[in-house]
Coordinates of all heavy atoms in Angstrom, one line a residue:
M23 N -15.4 199.1 13.1 CA -16.8 199.3 13.5 C -17.1 200.7 13.8 O -18.2 201.1 13.6 CB -17.1 198.3 14.6 CG -18.6 198.0 14.7 SD -19.3 197.1 13.4 CE -20.1 195.9 14.2
K24 N -16.2 201.5 14.3 CA -16.4 202.9 14.7 C -16.9 203.7 13.5 O -17.8 204.5 13.7 CB -15.2 203.5 15.3 CG -15.4 204.9 15.8 CD -14.1 205.4 16.4 CE -14.3 206.9 16.8 NZ -13.2 207.5 17.3
N25 N -16.3 203.5 12.3 CA -16.7 204.2 11.1 C -18.2 203.9 10.8 O -18.9 204.8 10.2 CB -15.8 204.0 10.0 CG -14.4 204.6 10.2 OD1 -14.3 205.6 10.9 ND2 -13.4 204.1 9.6
I26 N -18.6 202.7 11.0 CA -20.0 202.3 10.6 C -21.0 203.0 11.4 O -22.1 203.4 11.0 CB -20.1 200.8 10.8 CG1 -19.2 200.1 9.7 CG2 -21.6 200.4 10.5 CD1 -19.2 198.5 9.9
I27 N -20.7 203.2 12.7 CA -21.8 203.8 13.6 C -21.6 205.3 13.8 O -22.4 205.9 14.4 CB -21.8 203.1 15.0 CG1 -20.5 203.3 15.7 CG2 -22.2 201.6 14.8 CD1 -20.6 202.8 17.2
Q28 N -20.6 205.9 13.3 CA -20.4 207.4 13.5 C -21.5 208.3 12.9 O -21.8 209.3 13.4 CB -19.1 207.8 12.9 CG -19.0 208.0 11.4 CD -17.6 208.4 11.0 OE1 -16.7 208.4 11.8 NE2 -17.5 208.7 9.7
N29 N -22.3 207.8 11.9 CA -23.4 208.6 11.3 C -24.7 208.3 11.9 O -25.7 208.8 11.5 CB -23.4 208.4 9.8 CG -22.2 209.0 9.2 OD1 -21.7 210.0 9.6 ND2 -21.7 208.4 8.1
I30 N -24.8 207.4 12.9 CA -26.0 207.1 13.6 C -26.3 208.3 14.6 O -25.4 208.7 15.3 CB -25.9 205.8 14.4 CG1 -25.9 204.6 13.4 CG2 -27.2 205.6 15.3 CD1 -25.8 203.3 14.0
N31 N -27.5 208.9 14.4 CA -27.8 210.1 15.1 C -28.5 209.8 16.5 O -29.5 209.2 16.5 CB -28.8 210.9 14.2 CG -29.0 212.3 14.6 OD1 -29.1 212.6 15.9 ND2 -29.2 213.2 13.8
K32 N -27.8 210.3 17.5 CA -28.4 210.1 18.9 C -29.8 210.6 19.1 O -30.5 210.1 19.9 CB -27.4 210.6 19.9 CG -26.1 209.8 20.1 CD -25.3 210.1 21.3 CE -26.0 209.8 22.5 NZ -26.2 208.4 22.9
A33 N -30.1 211.6 18.3 CA -31.5 212.2 18.5 C -32.6 211.2 18.1 O -33.7 211.4 18.6 CB -31.6 213.5 17.6
F34 N -32.2 210.2 17.3 CA -33.2 209.2 16.9 C -33.0 207.9 17.6 O -33.6 206.9 17.2 CB -33.1 209.0 15.4 CG -33.2 210.3 14.6 CD1 -32.3 210.6 13.7 CD2 -34.3 211.2 14.8 CE1 -32.3 211.8 12.9 CE2 -34.4 212.3 14.1 CZ -33.4 212.7 13.2
D35 N -32.2 207.9 18.7 CA -32.0 206.6 19.4 C -33.3 206.1 20.1 O -33.5 204.9 20.3 CB -31.0 206.8 20.5 CG -29.5 206.6 20.0 OD1 -29.3 206.3 18.9 OD2 -28.6 206.9 20.8
N36 N -34.1 207.1 20.6 CA -35.3 206.7 21.3 C -36.4 206.3 20.2 O -36.6 206.9 19.2 CB -35.8 207.9 22.0 CG -37.0 207.6 22.9 OD1 -38.1 207.6 22.3 ND2 -36.8 207.3 24.2
R37 N -37.1 205.2 20.6 CA -38.1 204.7 19.7 C -39.3 205.7 19.4 O -39.8 205.7 18.3 CB -38.7 203.4 20.2 CG -39.5 203.5 21.4 CD -40.0 202.2 21.9 NE -40.8 202.3 23.1 CZ -42.1 202.5 23.1 NH1 -42.8 202.6 22.0 NH2 -42.8 202.7 24.3
I38 N -39.6 206.6 20.3 CA -40.7 207.5 20.2 C -40.2 208.6 19.2 O -40.9 209.0 18.2 CB -41.1 208.2 21.5 CG1 -41.7 207.1 22.4 CG2 -42.1 209.3 21.3 CD1 -42.0 207.5 23.8
R39 N -39.0 209.1 19.3 CA -38.5 210.1 18.4 C -38.3 209.5 17.0 O -38.6 210.1 16.0 CB -37.1 210.6 18.8 CG -37.4 211.7 20.0 CD -36.0 212.3 20.5 NE -35.9 211.8 21.8 CZ -34.8 211.6 22.5 NH1 -33.7 211.7 21.8 NH2 -34.8 211.2 23.7
L40 N -37.9 208.2 17.0 CA -37.8 207.5 15.7 C -39.2 207.4 15.0 O -39.3 207.6 13.8 CB -37.2 206.1 15.9 CG -36.9 205.3 14.7 CD1 -35.8 205.9 13.9 CD2 -36.6 203.9 15.2
G41 N -40.2 207.1 15.8 CA -41.6 207.1 15.4 C -42.1 208.4 14.9 O -42.7 208.5 13.8
I42 N -41.9 209.4 15.6 CA -42.4 210.8 15.2 C -41.8 211.1 13.9 O -42.4 211.5 12.9 CB -42.0 211.9 16.3 CG1 -42.7 211.6 17.5 CG2 -42.2 213.2 15.7 CD1 -42.2 212.4 18.8
M43 N -40.4 210.9 13.7 CA -39.8 211.3 12.5 C -40.3 210.4 11.3 O -40.4 210.9 10.2 CB -38.3 211.3 12.6 CG -37.7 212.4 13.3 SD -38.1 214.1 12.7 CE -37.3 214.1 11.1
S44 N -40.5 209.1 11.6 CA -40.9 208.2 10.5 C -42.3 208.7 10.0 O -42.6 208.7 8.8 CB -41.1 206.8 11.1 OG -39.8 206.3 11.4
I45 N -43.2 209.1 10.9 CA -44.5 209.5 10.5 C -44.4 210.9 9.7 O -45.0 211.1 8.6 CB -45.4 209.7 11.7 CG1 -45.8 208.3 12.3 CG2 -46.7 210.5 11.4 CD1 -46.3 208.4 13.7
L46 N -43.6 211.8 10.2 CA -43.4 213.1 9.5 C -42.6 213.0 8.2 O -42.8 213.9 7.3 CB -42.7 214.1 10.4 CG -43.6 214.4 11.7 CD1 -42.8 215.4 12.6 CD2 -45.0 214.9 11.4
M47 N -41.9 211.9 8.0 CA -41.2 211.8 6.7 C -42.2 211.4 5.6 O -41.9 211.7 4.4 CB -40.1 210.7 6.8 CG -38.9 211.1 7.7 SD -38.0 212.4 7.0 CE -37.1 211.6 5.7
V48 N -43.3 210.8 5.9 CA -44.2 210.4 4.9 C -45.5 211.2 4.9 O -46.4 211.0 4.0 CB -44.6 208.8 5.0 CG1 -43.3 208.0 4.7 CG2 -45.1 208.5 6.3
N49 N -45.6 212.1 5.8 CA -46.8 213.0 5.8 C -46.2 214.4 5.9 O -45.3 214.7 6.6 CB -47.6 212.8 7.1 CG -48.3 211.4 7.1 OD1 -49.2 211.2 6.3 ND2 -47.7 210.5 7.8
E50 N -46.9 215.4 5.3 CA -46.5 216.8 5.3 C -46.5 217.3 6.7 O -45.6 218.0 7.2 CB -47.4 217.6 4.4 CG -47.0 219.0 4.3 CD -47.8 219.8 3.3 OE1 -48.2 219.3 2.2 OE2 -48.0 221.0 3.6
S51 N -47.5 216.9 7.5 CA -47.6 217.2 8.9 C -48.4 216.3 9.6 O -49.2 215.5 9.0 CB -48.1 218.6 9.1 OG -49.4 218.8 8.7
A52 N -48.5 216.3 10.9 CA -49.3 215.5 11.7 C -49.7 216.2 13.0 O -48.9 216.9 13.6 CB -48.7 214.1 12.1
D53 N -51.0 216.1 13.5 CA -51.3 216.8 14.7 C -51.0 215.9 15.9 O -50.7 214.7 15.8 CB -52.7 217.3 14.7 CG -53.8 216.2 14.6 OD1 -53.4 215.0 15.0 OD2 -54.9 216.5 14.3
F54 N -51.1 216.6 17.1 CA -50.8 215.9 18.4 C -51.6 214.6 18.5 O -51.0 213.6 18.9 CB -51.1 216.9 19.5 CG -50.6 216.5 20.8 CD1 -49.3 216.8 21.3 CD2 -51.4 215.7 21.7 CE1 -48.9 216.3 22.5 CE2 -51.0 215.3 22.9 CZ -49.7 215.6 23.3
S55 N -52.9 214.7 18.3 CA -53.8 213.5 18.5 C -53.4 212.4 17.6 O -53.4 211.2 18.0 CB -55.2 213.9 18.3 OG -55.6 214.9 19.3
T56 N -53.1 212.7 16.3 CA -52.7 211.6 15.4 C -51.4 210.9 15.9 O -51.3 209.7 15.8 CB -52.6 212.2 14.0 OG1 -53.8 212.8 13.6 CG2 -52.2 211.2 13.0
L57 N -50.4 211.7 16.1 CA -49.1 211.1 16.6 C -49.3 210.3 17.9 O -48.8 209.2 18.0 CB -48.1 212.3 16.9 CG -47.5 212.9 15.6 CD1 -46.6 214.1 16.0 CD2 -46.8 211.9 14.7
K58 N -50.0 210.9 18.8 CA -50.3 210.2 20.1 C -51.0 208.8 19.8 O -50.6 207.8 20.3 CB -51.1 211.0 21.0 CG -51.4 210.4 22.3 CD -52.3 211.4 23.2 CE -52.9 210.6 24.3 NZ -53.9 211.3 25.0
E59 N -52.0 208.8 18.9 CA -52.7 207.5 18.7 C -51.9 206.6 17.9 O -51.8 205.4 18.2 CB -54.0 207.9 17.8 CG -54.8 206.7 17.5 CD -56.1 207.0 16.8 OE1 -56.6 208.1 17.0 OE2 -56.4 206.2 15.9
L60 N -51.1 207.1 16.9 CA -50.3 206.1 16.1 C -49.2 205.5 16.9 O -48.8 204.3 16.6 CB -49.7 206.9 14.8 CG -50.7 207.2 13.7 CD1 -50.0 208.2 12.7 CD2 -51.3 206.0 13.1
L61 N -48.6 206.3 17.8 CA -47.5 205.8 18.5 C -47.9 205.1 19.8 O -47.1 204.4 20.4 CB -46.5 207.0 18.9 CG -45.9 207.6 17.6 CD1 -45.1 208.9 18.0 CD2 -45.0 206.7 16.9
G62 N -49.1 205.3 20.2 CA -49.6 204.7 21.5 C -48.9 205.2 22.7 O -48.5 204.4 23.6
I63 N -48.7 206.5 22.8 CA -48.0 207.1 23.9 C -48.8 208.1 24.7 O -49.8 208.5 24.2 CB -46.7 207.7 23.4 CG1 -46.9 208.8 22.4 CG2 -45.7 206.7 22.9 CD1 -45.7 209.5 21.9
T64 N -48.3 208.5 25.8 CA -49.0 209.5 26.6 C -48.8 210.9 26.1 O -47.8 211.2 25.3 CB -48.6 209.5 28.1 OG1 -47.2 209.8 28.2 CG2 -48.8 208.1 28.6
D65 N -49.6 211.9 26.6 CA -49.4 213.3 26.2 C -48.0 213.8 26.6 O -47.3 214.4 25.8 CB -50.4 214.2 26.9 CG -51.8 214.0 26.4 OD1 -52.1 213.2 25.5 OD2 -52.7 214.7 26.9
G66 N -47.6 213.4 27.8 CA -46.3 213.9 28.3 C -45.2 213.4 27.5 O -44.1 214.0 27.2
N67 N -45.2 212.1 27.2 CA -44.2 211.4 26.3 C -44.1 212.1 25.0 O -42.9 212.4 24.5 CB -44.4 209.9 26.1 CG -43.8 209.0 27.1 OD1 -42.8 209.4 27.8 ND2 -44.3 207.9 27.2
L68 N -45.2 212.3 24.3 CA -45.1 213.0 23.0 C -44.6 214.4 23.1 O -43.7 214.8 22.4 CB -46.5 213.0 22.4 CG -46.6 213.7 21.0 CD1 -45.6 213.1 20.0 CD2 -48.1 213.6 20.5
A69 N -45.1 215.2 24.1 CA -44.6 216.5 24.3 C -43.1 216.6 24.5 O -42.4 217.4 23.9 CB -45.4 217.2 25.4
S70 N -42.6 215.7 25.4 CA -41.2 215.8 25.8 C -40.3 215.4 24.6 O -39.2 216.0 24.3 CB -40.9 215.0 27.0 OG -41.0 213.6 26.8
H71 N -40.7 214.4 23.9 CA -39.9 213.9 22.7 C -40.0 214.9 21.5 O -39.0 215.1 20.8 CB -40.2 212.5 22.3 CG -39.8 211.5 23.3 ND1 -38.4 211.2 23.5 CD2 -40.4 210.8 24.2 CE1 -38.3 210.3 24.4 NE2 -39.5 210.0 24.9
A72 N -41.1 215.5 21.3 CA -41.3 216.5 20.3 C -40.4 217.7 20.6 O -39.8 218.3 19.8 CB -42.7 216.9 20.2
K73 N -40.4 218.1 21.9 CA -39.6 219.2 22.3 C -38.1 218.9 22.0 O -37.3 219.8 21.6 CB -39.8 219.4 23.8 CG -39.1 220.7 24.3 CD -39.5 220.9 25.8 CE -38.8 222.2 26.3 NZ -39.3 222.6 27.6
A74 N -37.6 217.7 22.3 CA -36.3 217.3 22.0 C -35.9 217.5 20.5 O -34.9 217.9 20.1 CB -36.0 215.9 22.5
L75 N -36.9 217.0 19.6 CA -36.6 217.1 18.2 C -36.7 218.6 17.7 O -35.9 219.0 16.9 CB -37.7 216.3 17.4 CG -37.5 214.7 17.6 CD1 -38.7 214.0 17.0 CD2 -36.2 214.2 16.9
E76 N -37.6 219.3 18.3 CA -37.7 220.8 18.0 C -36.4 221.5 18.4 O -35.8 222.3 17.7 CB -38.9 221.4 18.8 CG -39.1 222.9 18.4 CD -40.2 223.5 19.2 OE1 -40.5 223.0 20.3 OE2 -40.8 224.4 18.7
A77 N -35.8 221.1 19.6 CA -34.5 221.7 20.0 C -33.4 221.5 19.0 O -32.4 222.3 18.9 CB -34.1 221.2 21.4
E78 N -33.4 220.4 18.4 CA -32.4 220.0 17.3 C -32.7 220.7 16.0 O -32.0 220.5 15.0 CB -32.4 218.4 17.1 CG -31.8 217.7 18.3 CD -30.4 217.9 18.5 OE1 -29.7 218.2 17.6 OE2 -29.9 217.6 19.7
N79 N -33.9 221.4 15.9 CA -34.4 221.9 14.7 C -34.7 220.9 13.6 O -34.6 221.1 12.4 CB -33.4 223.0 14.1 CG -34.0 223.9 13.0 OD1 -35.2 224.2 13.2 ND2 -33.3 224.2 12.0
Y80 N -35.2 219.7 14.1 CA -35.6 218.6 13.2 C -37.1 218.7 12.9 O -37.6 218.2 11.9 CB -35.2 217.3 13.8 CG -33.7 217.0 13.8 CD1 -33.2 216.0 14.6 CD2 -32.8 217.8 13.1 CE1 -31.9 215.7 14.6 CE2 -31.5 217.5 13.1 CZ -31.0 216.5 13.9 OH -29.7 216.2 13.9
I81 N -37.8 219.3 13.8 CA -39.3 219.5 13.5 C -39.7 220.9 13.9 O -39.0 221.6 14.7 CB -40.2 218.5 14.3 CG1 -40.1 218.8 15.8 CG2 -39.9 217.0 13.9 CD1 -41.1 218.0 16.6
V82 N -40.8 221.4 13.3 CA -41.4 222.6 13.7 C -42.7 222.3 14.4 O -43.5 221.5 13.9 CB -41.6 223.5 12.4 CG1 -42.4 224.7 12.7 CG2 -40.3 223.8 11.8
V83 N -43.0 223.0 15.5 CA -44.3 222.8 16.2 C -45.1 224.0 15.9 O -44.7 225.2 16.1 CB -44.0 222.6 17.7 CG1 -45.4 222.5 18.5 CG2 -43.1 221.5 18.0
E84 N -46.3 223.8 15.4 CA -47.2 224.9 15.1 C -48.5 224.8 16.0 O -49.1 223.8 16.0 CB -47.6 224.9 13.6 CG -46.3 225.1 12.8 CD -46.6 224.8 11.3 OE1 -47.6 224.1 10.9 OE2 -45.8 225.3 10.5
K85 N -48.7 225.9 16.7 CA -49.9 225.9 17.6 C -50.9 226.9 17.1 O -50.5 228.0 16.7 CB -49.5 226.2 19.0 CG -48.6 225.1 19.6 CD -48.2 225.4 21.1 CE -47.3 224.3 21.5 NZ -47.5 224.0 22.9
Q86 N -52.2 226.5 17.0 CA -53.2 227.4 16.5 C -54.5 226.9 17.2 O -54.6 226.0 17.9 CB -53.4 227.3 15.0 CG -53.7 225.9 14.6 CD -53.8 225.8 13.0 OE1 -53.6 226.8 12.3 NE2 -54.0 224.7 12.5
F87 N -55.5 227.7 17.0 CA -56.9 227.4 17.4 C -57.7 227.1 16.3 O -57.7 227.8 15.2 CB -57.5 228.5 18.2 CG -57.0 228.6 19.6 CD1 -55.9 229.4 19.9 CD2 -57.6 228.0 20.7 CE1 -55.4 229.4 21.2 CE2 -57.2 228.0 21.9 CZ -56.0 228.7 22.2
I88 N -58.5 225.9 16.3 CA -59.5 225.6 15.3 C -60.8 225.8 16.0 O -61.2 225.0 16.9 CB -59.3 224.2 14.8 CG1 -57.9 224.1 14.1 CG2 -60.5 223.8 13.8 CD1 -57.6 222.7 13.6
G89 N -61.5 226.9 15.7 CA -62.7 227.3 16.5 C -62.1 227.7 17.8 O -61.3 228.6 17.9
K90 N -62.6 227.1 18.9 CA -62.1 227.5 20.2 C -61.2 226.4 20.8 O -60.8 226.5 21.9 CB -63.3 227.7 21.2 CG -64.1 228.9 20.8 CD -65.2 229.2 21.8 CE -65.9 230.5 21.4 NZ -66.8 230.9 22.5
K91 N -60.9 225.4 20.0 CA -60.0 224.3 20.4 C -58.6 224.4 20.0 O -58.3 224.8 18.8 CB -60.6 222.9 19.9 CG -61.9 222.6 20.5 CD -62.4 221.2 19.9 CE -61.6 220.2 20.6 NZ -62.1 218.8 20.2
P92 N -57.6 224.3 21.0 CA -56.3 224.4 20.5 C -55.9 223.2 19.7 O -56.4 222.1 19.8 CB -55.5 224.3 21.9 CG -56.5 223.7 22.8 CD -57.8 224.0 22.4
N93 N -55.0 223.4 18.8 CA -54.5 222.4 17.9 C -53.0 222.6 17.7 O -52.5 223.6 17.4 CB -55.2 222.5 16.5 CG -54.7 221.4 15.5 OD1 -53.7 221.6 14.9 ND2 -55.4 220.3 15.5
T94 N -52.3 221.5 18.0 CA -50.8 221.5 17.8 C -50.5 220.5 16.7 O -50.9 219.4 16.7 CB -50.1 221.0 19.1 OG1 -50.5 221.9 20.1 CG2 -48.6 221.1 19.0
S95 N -49.7 221.0 15.7 CA -49.3 220.1 14.6 C -47.7 220.2 14.5 O -47.1 221.1 15.0 CB -49.9 220.5 13.3 OG -49.5 221.8 12.9
Y96 N -47.2 219.2 13.9 CA -45.8 219.0 13.7 C -45.4 218.8 12.2 O -46.2 218.1 11.6 CB -45.3 217.8 14.6 CG -45.8 217.9 16.0 CD1 -46.9 217.4 16.5 CD2 -44.9 218.5 16.9 CE1 -47.3 217.6 17.8 CE2 -45.3 218.6 18.3 CZ -46.5 218.1 18.7 OH -46.9 218.3 20.0
R97 N -44.3 219.3 11.9 CA -43.8 219.2 10.5 C -42.3 219.0 10.6 O -41.6 219.7 11.3 CB -44.1 220.4 9.8 CG -43.7 220.5 8.3 CD -44.3 221.8 7.7 NE -44.0 223.0 8.4 CZ -42.9 223.7 8.4 NH1 -41.9 223.3 7.8 NH2 -42.8 224.8 9.1
A98 N -41.8 218.1 9.8 CA -40.3 217.9 9.7 C -39.7 219.0 8.9 O -40.2 219.5 7.9 CB -40.0 216.6 9.1
T99 N -38.6 219.5 9.4 CA -37.8 220.6 8.6 C -37.0 219.9 7.6 O -36.7 218.7 7.6 CB -36.9 221.4 9.6 OG1 -35.9 220.5 10.2 CG2 -37.7 222.0 10.7
A100 N -36.4 220.7 6.7 CA -35.5 220.2 5.7 C -34.3 219.6 6.4 O -33.8 218.5 6.0 CB -35.1 221.3 4.7
E101 N -33.8 220.3 7.4 CA -32.6 219.8 8.2 C -33.0 218.4 8.9 O -32.2 217.5 8.9 CB -32.2 220.8 9.2 CG -31.0 220.4 10.1 CD -30.7 221.5 11.1 OE1 -31.2 222.6 11.0 OE2 -29.9 221.1 12.0
G102 N -34.2 218.4 9.4 CA -34.7 217.1 10.1 C -34.8 216.0 9.1 O -34.3 214.8 9.4
K103 N -35.3 216.3 7.9 CA -35.5 215.2 6.9 C -34.1 214.7 6.5 O -33.9 213.5 6.3 CB -36.2 215.7 5.7 CG -37.7 216.0 6.0 CD -38.4 216.5 4.8 CE -39.9 216.7 5.1 NZ -40.6 217.3 3.9
K104 N -33.1 215.6 6.3 CA -31.8 215.1 5.9 C -31.1 214.4 7.0 O -30.5 213.3 6.7 CB -30.9 216.4 5.6 CG -29.5 216.2 5.4 CD -29.1 216.0 4.0 CE -27.6 216.0 3.8 NZ -26.9 214.8 4.1
A105 N -31.2 214.8 8.2 CA -30.6 214.1 9.4 C -31.3 212.7 9.5 O -30.5 211.8 9.7 CB -30.8 214.9 10.6
F106 N -32.6 212.6 9.3 CA -33.2 211.3 9.5 C -32.8 210.4 8.3 O -32.5 209.2 8.5 CB -34.7 211.5 9.5 CG -35.4 210.3 9.9 CD1 -35.4 209.8 11.2 CD2 -36.2 209.5 9.0 CE1 -36.1 208.7 11.6 CE2 -36.9 208.4 9.4 CZ -36.8 207.9 10.7
Q107 N -32.7 210.9 7.1 CA -32.3 210.1 6.0 C -30.9 209.6 6.2 O -30.6 208.4 5.9 CB -32.4 210.9 4.7 CG -32.2 210.1 3.5 CD -33.3 209.0 3.3 OE1 -34.5 209.3 3.5 NE2 -32.9 207.8 2.9
D108 N -30.0 210.5 6.7 CA -28.7 210.1 6.9 C -28.6 208.9 8.0 O -27.8 208.0 7.9 CB -27.8 211.2 7.4 CG -27.5 212.3 6.3 OD1 -27.7 212.0 5.1 OD2 -27.1 213.4 6.6
H109 N -29.4 209.1 9.0 CA -29.5 208.1 10.1 C -29.9 206.8 9.5 O -29.4 205.7 9.8 CB -30.5 208.6 11.2 CG -30.7 207.7 12.3 ND1 -29.8 207.5 13.3 CD2 -31.8 206.9 12.6 CE1 -30.2 206.6 14.1 NE2 -31.5 206.2 13.8
I110 N -30.9 206.7 8.7 CA -31.5 205.5 8.1 C -30.4 204.9 7.2 O -30.2 203.7 7.3 CB -32.8 205.8 7.3 CG1 -33.9 206.2 8.2 CG2 -33.2 204.5 6.5 CD1 -34.3 205.3 9.3
E111 N -29.7 205.7 6.4 CA -28.7 205.2 5.6 C -27.5 204.6 6.5 O -27.0 203.5 6.1 CB -28.1 206.3 4.7 CG -29.1 206.6 3.6 CD -28.7 207.8 2.8 OE1 -27.5 208.3 2.9 OE2 -29.5 208.3 2.0
A112 N -27.2 205.2 7.5 CA -26.2 204.6 8.5 C -26.6 203.3 9.1 O -25.8 202.3 9.2 CB -25.9 205.7 9.6
L113 N -27.9 203.2 9.4 CA -28.4 201.9 9.9 C -28.4 200.9 8.8 O -28.0 199.7 9.1 CB -29.8 202.1 10.4 CG -30.0 202.9 11.7 CD1 -31.5 203.1 12.0 CD2 -29.3 202.2 12.9
E114 N -28.7 201.2 7.6 CA -28.7 200.2 6.5 C -27.3 199.8 6.3 O -27.0 198.5 6.0 CB -29.3 200.8 5.3 CG -30.8 201.0 5.3 CD -31.4 201.8 4.2 OE1 -30.7 202.5 3.4 OE2 -32.7 201.7 4.1
K115 N -26.3 200.6 6.3 CA -24.9 200.2 6.2 C -24.5 199.3 7.3 O -23.8 198.3 7.0 CB -24.0 201.5 6.1 CG -24.1 202.3 4.8 CD -23.2 203.4 4.9 CE -23.4 204.3 3.5 NZ -22.6 205.5 3.6
L116 N -24.9 199.6 8.5 CA -24.5 198.8 9.7 C -25.1 197.4 9.5 O -24.4 196.4 9.7 CB -25.1 199.4 10.9 CG -24.8 198.7 12.2 CD1 -23.3 198.5 12.5 CD2 -25.5 199.4 13.4
I117 N -26.4 197.3 9.0 CA -27.0 196.1 8.8 C -26.3 195.2 7.7 O -26.1 194.0 7.8 CB -28.5 196.2 8.5 CG1 -29.3 196.7 9.8 CG2 -29.1 194.9 8.0 CD1 -30.6 197.2 9.5
S118 N -26.0 195.9 6.6 CA -25.3 195.2 5.5 C -23.9 194.7 5.8 O -23.4 193.8 5.2 CB -25.3 196.1 4.2 OG -24.4 197.2 4.4
K119 N -23.3 195.3 6.8 CA -21.9 194.9 7.2 C -21.9 193.7 8.2 O -21.0 193.1 8.4 CB -21.2 196.1 7.9 CG -20.9 197.3 7.1 CD -19.8 197.1 6.1 CE -19.5 198.3 5.4 NZ -18.6 198.2 4.3
S120 N -23.1 193.5 8.8 CA -23.2 192.4 9.8 C -23.2 191.0 9.1 O -23.5 190.8 8.1 CB -24.5 192.5 10.6 OG -24.6 193.7 11.2

């Protein structure tokens, strides 16, 4: 069983990080408000989990102003997409072995 779970990525253990990456895998980018609404989480939860994914170099956080309003958007990196795909494949293998 150890070989089956060795490719499961701890960065995606949390449901919020899993949700962020899932959204970013099918969208080029997503802004803070969109992620917050889709995931149904607080500002602080989103910020802390995004920071954890950014620290792993799985997402890029881009901050800018649109008019006078701040806007934060998120994009999955190539490394993040590969890591997430590997994670999903590991989960699928685990499920198929059950």
Side-chain angles (χ1 to χ4, degrees):
M23 200 64 130
K24 183 178 179 187
N25 289 337
I26 294 174
I27 63 170
Q28 74 183 9
N29 291 325
I30 293 178
N31 191 324
K32 288 193 65 71
F34 307 126
D35 275 356
N36 183 280
R37 67 182 181 86
I38 295 171
R39 284 181 245 147
L40 187 67
I42 292 169
M43 285 304 295
S44 295
I45 292 165
L46 296 179
M47 290 294 286
V48 296
N49 295 285
E50 188 173 321
S51 66
D53 67 17
F54 188 90
S55 297
T56 300
L57 287 175
K58 181 181 162 187
E59 182 180 326
L60 289 172
L61 297 171
I63 57 177
T64 65
D65 290 2
N67 267 337
L68 178 53
S70 66
H71 289 289
K73 187 175 183 176
L75 291 170
E76 183 182 28
E78 294 287 340
N79 196 35
Y80 290 164
I81 66 170
V82 173
V83 179
E84 298 168 340
K85 296 183 181 214
Q86 62 183 357
F87 281 89
I88 298 177
K90 293 186 177 190
K91 293 180 77 176
N93 179 274
T94 303
S95 64
Y96 304 89
R97 180 176 46 84
T99 64
E101 182 181 346
K103 288 178 180 182
K104 168 96 171 75
F106 191 73
Q107 189 63 42
D108 291 347
H109 178 74
I110 295 300
E111 288 172 10
L113 289 173
E114 288 173 345
K115 285 179 185 174
L116 179 63
I117 291 167
S118 71
K119 298 281 185 190
S120 301

